[in-house]
Amino acid sequence: MSEAQSVSGEPGIGRELTAFQQNILVILSEEPRYGLAIKRELEDYYGSEVNHGRLYPNLDDLVEMELVEKSELDKRTNQYALTEKGKQAVLGQLGWIFSRFVTDAERADELRALVDAAE
């Protein structure tokens, strides 16, 4: 059974996160990034500017919740990486969403097609 299939269908800590914070976790699911790279990804997604005053306090909150790990790349640049707890938060949220979305075999096939396209 895959990890996605073993998720309980409960959002867990994901229910405490804002959509903005959840989007940060999803971005970090791909690979660790520095702050400005996360900012660019969010701006592409939202189609508008993301202020530093919004991004960095949310990153700090995610670090405090132990969902993201912060490390120093150099004296001016921090890198952010998803922790195992953060990965579980993303999987929990996806499991909850999927448990609501998949109401029949056709919808399950639609999700399988999305997963196959992403691989």
Side-chain angles (χ1 to χ4, degrees), residues 43-60:
E43 289 173 341
D44 286 346
Y45 177 73
Y46 289 114
S48 62
E49 184 179 354
V50 171
N51 295 320
H52 286 73
R54 180 178 185 201
L55 175 62
Y56 290 100
N58 278 284
L59 282 168
D60 289 341

Side-chain angles (χ1 to χ4, degrees), residues 65-90:
M65 288 185 265
E66 300 178 347
L67 301 174
V68 170
E69 182 177 77
K70 178 179 174 180
S71 61
E72 198 175 279
L73 283 177
D74 58 44
K75 292 184 187 232
R76 293 185 41 172
T77 308
N78 291 316
Q79 178 170 283
Y80 299 88
L82 196 66
T83 64
E84 184 60 32
K85 187 175 175 182
K87 177 184 169 190
Q88 291 306 313
V90 172

